[in-house]
Amino acid sequence: MNASGAQVQENPRSGARVRWVGYQTIVRREFGRIVRIWGQTVVPPAVTASLYFIIFGSLIGRRIGQMDGFDYMQYIAPGLIMMSVITNSFGNVVSSFFGAKFGKHLEELLVSPLPNWLIVLGYVTGGIMRGLLVGTLVTVVALLFTSLPVAHPLLIVASVILTSVVFALGGFFNAIFAKNFEQISWFPTFVLAPLTYLGGVFYSVSLLPGWAERISYANPILYMVNAFRYGFLGTSDVDVTLAIGITMAAAAIMFAIVVTLMNRGTGIRE
Amino acid sequence: MQALSIRSLAKTYDNGVQALKGIDLDVREGDFFALLGPNGAGKTTAIGIVTSLVTKTSGSVSVFGHDIDRKLELAKSCIGLVPQEVNFNMFEKVFTIVVNQAGFYGIPRPLARERTEKYLRQLQLWEKRDAIARSLSGGMKRRLMIARALVHEPRLLILDEPTAGVDIEIRRSMWEFLRGINAKGTTIILTTHYLEEAENLCRNIAIIDRGRIIEHDSIANVIRKLHQETFVLNFRDAVDRLPELPGFAPRQVDGHTMEVEVSKEQSLNEIFARLSAAGIEVVSMRNKVNRLEELFMRLVEGGTAAQPAGESKT
Ligand SMILES: Nc1ncnc2c1ncn2[C@@H]1O[C@H](COP(=O)(O)OP(=O)(O)O)[C@@H](O)[C@H]1O
Ligand SMILES: [Mg+2]
């Protein structure tokens, strides 16, 4: 009856199988994009990180001396790695998803039978990949300047992945609402960067005056940076269990919000 | 089985434009169907709703019996879409675009590669498989979208103005290709604003204008209606019964008025002769506006003239 439409799609490949293949395809495409435009995706963050290490670590760090009992360079290394993970997970998803919207090739996914939550998962995985790739690169750069102890390896892995999930979802959220390229640089510049710089990347918040320290505890990035730093150095400004809890909750809430927006068609369907 | 069934489908865009005002449409499995209408008629909107790129305001759609509100994933997996405007990633390679689309429909990579090769060859794009999409000519881009739409071997192929802006030669070879696909069992729906295209390819047709379906019939019937004029004749004296008019199907509107359809090959003399013989005196005659013909006049005059003033935002 239907000679060319070889397989009738009703049953042969189960929904789960279709989704698994679809997910892999999105991830593969995201990876392909990171590699294709490596000059924009991995080189600049590595260069930026090297500059930070040279300036803050070697030049200024020598004058600062120790922080929490570690060389300043060692103290900021986890913070700088985390900062690059945050910016790159966010940046990957916001530009890839907004690019797909803007270039209309998002329609390739929208007409396919893949559910929205899976599309979100695919892009988030892309964000994690770029975050981890750049994070690893920055770690390598850091190791050229200093040595890093590893106190709690599992915590390092858990906190870096959770953090990149949260910011990949943040990038997705931004891309859903963005109507032009200006609106995808607004959030990173005016929200993400300040929160990151003030999130204990370069200093221990215990050095701040009381009021500034209290305000800092409202900054979620502080918890992520500290959990990660604790994984290396075994020192933290915050309760690490609380930090992981907050990050997990943030990831779950963001995921629910983003999938709901997608299901409503916000920003993607007329 | 209906490949596509649409009921009371309406769409009002956020800016208030009523693009669809409650349309019904049925396309049988295996059909080659045309949705014909001028620019702004609502063709792309209707297709957008069927393929879930546009949300509907009200009404229902089902694809091979799968309602898009309840069985969206099944409905989607039956459809391959060739959109009106190019919508692939310009920076990706031809092969990548097609093989990934197969993946989005759940086709495992090895089979996806085979299929990609098969359809790129069929559409004469195999030589271009490693080219960046942006470098393709307009006709090739269109063919790439066809290969992409076919790679999961959908039961229903929908093409939105596939031949707009392509030259005659490419248009003819595309027609040939689509006929072949249809002959092998794939249901095809295409939108167009060329009657010639619908006439050449399709068996059934719906004509849409300003968000309403104004004809839904076989091509043959529509062409016949198009080449027919309706004349309204007024008589001096009331007539009880009309005489026999072989070859015509007159309708008596009232004692003084008769309507009759006359195709372009037929002659009016016959009618007058019979009426005179029956002693009926015709005092005036006018021809009724042929809505279809009027629509086609607008189509021929070209796109934008057909758009009702004030309805589209500029
Ligand atoms: N995204 C949109 N927002 C608002 N109005 C739209 C949108 N897309 C189409 N329209 C309007 O809806 C009507 C139907 O458009 P469309 O479906 O594209 O017609 P066609 O494909 O037959 O040319 C037109 O008046 C058009 O201006
Ligand atoms: Mg259109």
Side-chain angles (χ1 to χ4, degrees), chain A residues 9-21, chain B residues 105-106:
Chain A
Q9 278 87 352
E10 269 80 344
N11 56 30
R13 272 176 260 105
S14 75
R17 176 91 182 117
V18 168
R19 289 169 187 180
W20 173 235
V21 172
Chain B
Y105 285 85

Side-chain angles (χ1 to χ4, degrees), chain B residues 151-163:
Chain B
V151 73
H152 67 289
E153 306 197 332
R155 299 168 75 186
L156 171 61
L157 178 65
I158 302 179
L159 306 102
D160 196 358
E161 307 214 16
T163 57

Side-chain angles (χ1 to χ4, degrees), chain A residues 2-7 9-10 13 19 21-22 25 28-29 105 107-108 110 112-114 269-270, chain B residues 11 52 55 66 73 76-77 87 92 100-101 103-107 109 115 148 152-153 155 184-186:
Chain A
N2 189 7
S4 91
Q7 72 290 97
Q9 278 87 352
E10 269 80 344
R13 272 176 260 105
R19 289 169 187 180
V21 172
T25 310
R28 192 194 296 258
R29 186 167 84 168
H105 50 275
E107 292 179 2
E108 293 178 337
L110 296 182
S112 83
L114 302 178
R269 289 188 169 92
E270 299 282 352
Chain B
K11 171 68 185 180
S52 81
T55 54
H66 307 301
E73 288 170 35
K76 280 171 155 186
S77 63
N87 73 340
E92 279 180 342
N100 280 346
Q101 193 66 18
F104 299 148
Y105 285 85
I107 297 170
R109 204 70 173 182
R115 293 268 192 86
R148 185 185 61 178
H152 67 289
E153 306 197 332
R155 299 168 75 186
K184 287 191 206 126
T186 307

